[in-house]
Amino acid sequence: MDHWSDIFPLIFLPFKFLVLGWGMFYAIKWHYDEDNRKRAEARRRAEEQRLQADIDWDSLLAPKRVAKERVILPELTPEDR
């Protein structure tokens, strides 16, 4: 090993594998995290839509419930008291 080019692969190849391995790890991690973020966003949207649908049903049914619960009492005359 008289020349620097003889030792270069011994230093460069491990460094190259470390850098590429690090890059691949973070690329996979980023895609995994993005997928989880998108799924969480979809779950949040679905939950909001479900809650909005519940609110819509409640607003549609509320007047009918009030009308059914309203009891009209006859007016009392002095003779009935």
Side-chain angles (χ1 to χ4, degrees):
M1 294 196 166
D2 297 332
H3 200 260
W4 68 270
S5 62
D6 294 336
I7 203 168
F8 182 77
L10 298 176
I11 296 170
F12 179 71
L13 286 177
F15 178 73
K16 178 180 175 180
F17 287 130
L18 285 173
V19 169
L20 291 177
W22 176 76
M24 289 188 323
F25 171 79
Y26 280 106
I28 292 168
K29 181 182 181 310
W30 181 83
H31 282 87
Y32 180 78
D33 291 344
E34 281 295 305
D35 188 42
N36 284 342
R37 185 187 61 80
K38 287 179 183 177
R39 285 183 183 175
E41 181 69 22
R43 279 193 303 268
R44 186 188 61 80
R45 275 197 210 123
E47 181 68 18
E48 284 179 0
Q49 289 175 350
R50 188 185 65 77
L51 290 174
Q52 185 65 37
D54 289 347
I55 291 169
D56 290 345
W57 275 107
D58 289 344
S59 64
L60 290 173
L61 297 176
K64 294 177 184 173
R65 287 186 190 142
V66 171
K68 287 181 181 179
E69 294 171 0
R70 194 176 297 152
V71 177
I72 300 173
L73 297 174
E75 291 185 25
L76 295 175
T77 61
E79 298 169 354
D80 294 333
R81 290 184 198 170

